[in-house]
Amino acid sequence: MKKNIVIIISILVVLILALVGIKTISFGTKEATMGANIMKIEVPALSTLEDECCTYEATFKTLRGKNSIQKELDNMVENYMEFDCNGKKVYYDINHNVTIFDYEVKGGTIFTTFNIKYNIGQTCE
């Protein structure tokens, strides 16, 4: 009986540590193919495309924490060419020929969602 309790507690501890790790650790980025546009954009790893709206706006969902995703997106656009678009900073990804106009992260109890507004090429909205 004691052995079973120790095993159950051990499994629970491992699951809690895994959940904390997913919420806080940086996992880098991956390429996401955007449906009808047949193009790729860079997004934080362990994310899945939830919705693609309005041609050039995509919503992603992940188990990762809000701060972790925000940091990942901030680091991602730091590697892009930054330029001014009507008084607003936008970011051009030369490797994927995509301009990122805006991104927003929303935290939830279990899932974090984030939106990315983009367009093909180096362009101003």
Side-chain angles (χ1 to χ4, degrees):
M1 184 69 169
K2 277 187 176 182
K3 190 174 184 179
N4 289 342
I5 293 174
V6 170
I7 290 172
I8 291 171
I9 290 173
S10 298
I11 290 171
L12 288 175
V13 168
V14 168
L15 289 174
I16 290 169
L17 290 174
L19 183 59
V20 168
I22 285 174
K23 292 284 189 185
T24 58
I25 296 173
S26 173
F27 290 94
T29 59
K30 69 174 188 171
E31 287 184 341
T33 302
M34 306 312 295
N37 298 322
I38 308 172
M39 60 177 287
K40 296 179 188 271
I41 64 171
E42 192 175 8
V43 297
L46 304 179
S47 312
T48 57
L49 179 64
E50 184 175 272
D51 186 31
E52 193 172 4
C53 166
C54 317
T55 310
Y56 298 111
E57 184 174 345
T59 302
F60 294 85
K61 186 182 266 189
T62 182
L63 283 171
R64 296 175 59 197
K66 179 181 178 185
N67 293 336
S68 177
I69 292 296
Q70 184 69 53
K71 217 181 290 183
E72 202 78 61
L73 288 166
D74 292 342
N75 289 339
M76 184 181 79
V77 298
E78 277 182 14
N79 297 317
Y80 298 166
M81 185 177 84
E82 182 182 305
F83 66 97
D84 183 74
C85 177
N86 302 321
K88 186 177 179 189
K89 289 181 185 178
V90 297
Y91 308 93
Y92 176 63
D93 177 0
I94 195 166
N95 294 325
H96 297 100
N97 191 31
V98 171
T99 300
I100 305 293
F101 294 104
D102 193 22
Y103 56 91
E104 177 185 22
V105 181
K106 296 176 186 171
T109 306
I110 297 174
F111 293 102
T112 299
T113 59
F114 60 96
N115 299 330
I116 298 178
K117 293 180 184 174
Y118 63 96
N119 203 340
I120 299 170
Q122 183 178 353
T123 183
C124 194
E125 253 182 326

